[in-house]
Amino acid sequence: MSNRSCSSLRADCESCFGLCCVALAFAASADFAINKAGGTPCPNLDSDFRCGIHQNLRQQGFKGCTVFDCFGAGQKVSQVTFGGKDWRSGQETAKKMFDVFPIMQQLHEMLWYLTEALSFEAARSIHEELRMKLKETEQLTRFAPDFLLNLDIPAYRSDVNVLLMRTSELIRAKSIGKRKGNRENKKPDLRRADFMGRKLSRANFNGANLRGACLIAADLRGADLRRADLIGADLRDADLSGADLSGSIFLTQVQINSAKGDGRTRLPESLYRPKHWRA
Ligand code: SF4
């Protein structure tokens, strides 16, 4: 994924009217210190749309804010869909903005996946289809609020998903190395597998299909996750210290932010090492 493609699909808080801090609801939990209803500004949001506790979010009980990423939907809604008009300009604008934001977030998430799919040489045979879907999705993000509010997002996601699954199969088919007890060298199908809290240090998941797997608090230290499909896998508090995720498929910054890791963890080029990880 090129840096240019990446930058428009990452949160640019300076160009956003703090939409995630207003539009979304929080429930008091380990991730958020307070309850907050959707459409209500967080009490920590300053008048210039900056977070008043940005430097101390984790210490003050707002860990969830350090994990969240809007895939660039915030600046798109603020600057393109609403042309720079902020939610304080009127109740009607505010309501529409807050309703459009989660739709845009999903469209931008799809843009992220499609852009990443195009970065894999192994998926070259379907690059044209991926490019067309990317273009169509990008066009959708530029429509007016009322059009966006009427989009059938679940149906559109499923269309995109067909292409993402084909991409994943093409990439994982290239995975090398036979596993013990796997004479046909088939890549394990671990979709939605429950590995919560499991000890999986140094496990070989190279080429595995871990779509939607529950890896919450799993010990994945030193694990090989190259060419593993991790779309939708729940990595909250999973320990990725020393794990190799380079070349993994459809991993997002949100997943990485929610996990633990260290300076030895190898990440795909499109992702950065979270500040809260150990050195
Ligand atoms: S704590 Fe800061 S980042 Fe989190 S929702 Fe409130 S203003 Fe936004």
Side-chain angles (χ1 to χ4, degrees):
M1 200 182 285
S2 75
N3 285 335
R4 190 170 161 272
S5 316
C6 270
S7 63
S8 65
L9 299 176
R10 282 190 199 291
D12 172 9
C13 303
E14 293 294 316
S15 305
C16 174
F17 300 130
L19 291 181
C20 60
C21 309
V22 188
L24 306 181
F26 313 150
S29 61
D31 288 333
F32 298 104
I34 55 167
N35 282 313
K36 186 188 87 58
T40 311
C42 170
N44 298 317
L45 187 66
D46 288 341
S47 56
D48 60 357
F49 305 113
R50 292 187 182 181
C51 173
I53 58 165
H54 181 69
Q55 301 302 332
N56 300 302
L57 283 164
R58 289 198 161 232
Q59 296 87 323
Q60 301 214 28
F62 288 85
K63 181 173 131 186
C65 301
T66 66
V67 170
F68 182 79
D69 187 286
C70 69
F71 294 97
Q75 66 259 29
K76 179 72 75 67
V77 172
S78 300
Q79 304 302 336
V80 178
T81 319
F82 287 84
K85 200 184 315 176
D86 82 61
W87 47 269
R88 292 178 301 202
S89 60
Q91 273 188 349
E92 201 186 331
T93 301
K95 167 132 185 40
K96 274 196 183 170
M97 237 176 167
F98 302 152
D99 290 346
V100 163
F101 176 61
I103 293 169
M104 189 65 82
Q105 191 193 354
Q106 293 193 65
L107 289 171
H108 267 234
E109 185 183 13
M110 288 185 254
L111 287 176
W112 173 275
Y113 288 137
L114 289 164
T115 305
E116 174 164 308
L118 277 163
S119 73
F120 287 103
E121 186 58 33
R124 177 153 291 284
S125 59
I126 60 165
H127 271 192
E128 196 46 40
E129 287 170 82
L130 287 165
R131 262 193 288 273
M132 281 167 63
K133 193 50 100 178
L134 181 69
K135 191 173 171 194
E136 182 188 342
T137 312
E138 170 59 28
Q139 282 167 347
L140 286 178
T141 69
R142 297 190 174 271
F143 278 100
D146 289 331
F147 178 91
L148 290 165
L149 291 170
N150 285 306
L151 270 180
D152 184 349
I153 288 287
Y156 195 74
R157 279 198 89 110
S158 48
D159 262 13
V160 170
N161 200 32
V162 171
L163 274 179
L164 299 183
M165 284 198 288
R166 283 171 62 199
T167 303
S168 169
E169 277 158 21
L170 288 166
I171 299 164
R172 288 183 297 106
K174 298 268 179 193
S175 183
I176 49 166
K178 290 189 176 181
R179 289 172 184 76
K180 215 173 165 183
N182 187 0
R183 290 193 187 137
E184 294 172 10
N185 194 22
K186 277 189 181 160
K187 307 303 165 287
D189 186 349
L190 299 169
R191 278 175 291 180
R192 291 181 289 283
D194 185 0
F195 289 128
M196 186 166 174
R198 290 272 295 276
K199 301 234 173 294
L200 299 164
S201 58
R202 309 196 67 77
N204 182 1
F205 285 124
N206 189 329
N209 189 350
L210 284 158
R211 290 188 141 233
C214 175
L215 292 156
I216 296 174
D219 178 1
L220 287 161
R221 286 175 299 166
D224 182 357
L225 288 148
R226 290 171 298 161
R227 289 189 174 134
D229 185 343
L230 289 161
I231 198 166
D234 194 337
L235 287 162
R236 279 176 292 165
D237 292 324
D239 193 346
L240 296 170
S241 302
D244 191 351
L245 297 112
S246 58
S248 60
I249 311 164
F250 304 138
L251 186 65
T252 65
Q253 193 63 49
V254 176
Q255 287 168 298
I256 286 301
N257 291 349
S258 73
K260 297 174 189 165
D262 65 11
R264 297 168 304 139
T265 310
R266 297 190 63 199
L267 295 172
E269 278 178 22
S270 54
L271 304 180
Y272 60 85
R273 204 172 299 281
K275 284 188 194 135
H276 59 267
W277 279 15
R278 295 185 298 274

